[in-house]
Amino acid sequence: MFKIRLDEMLSHPLHTSAFVTLFSLLIFLPLIRPPIILTTLLVTALVYVSMYFGAAFAKLPVPGLNTREQ
């Protein structure tokens, strides 16, 4: 299921800080109503960082999951 791997996220400090910053900005942006182009760029960057972490987590082995059948 969905589980955040904090140790893997912290091994990529630039991407983690970008994810946290973009997420928090997009949560509070409706309060200041920025231009639509800025909002689109921020959402695009957040999707990119999320896809990066998804690819990084997919490469890691899942604990407790045995892929070889015996």
Side-chain angles (χ1 to χ4, degrees):
M1 199 67 192
F2 181 71
K3 183 176 181 184
I4 297 175
R5 298 181 180 178
L6 190 58
D7 55 337
E8 181 65 27
M9 284 188 77
L10 293 178
S11 66
H12 298 53
L14 181 67
H15 288 92
T16 303
S17 63
F19 179 79
V20 170
T21 303
L22 288 169
F23 186 76
S24 60
L25 271 174
L26 287 169
I27 290 291
F28 295 110
L29 272 182
L31 297 175
I32 58 173
R33 296 186 184 181
I36 190 70
I37 295 192
L38 176 64
T39 305
T40 305
L41 287 173
L42 291 174
V43 169
T44 304
L46 184 64
V47 168
Y48 169 77
V49 173
S50 299
M51 290 174 63
Y52 175 81
F53 279 126
F57 292 164
K59 291 179 185 177
L60 297 176
V62 178
L65 181 65
N66 188 4
T67 57
R68 259 184 16 185
E69 298 209 355
Q70 302 195 10

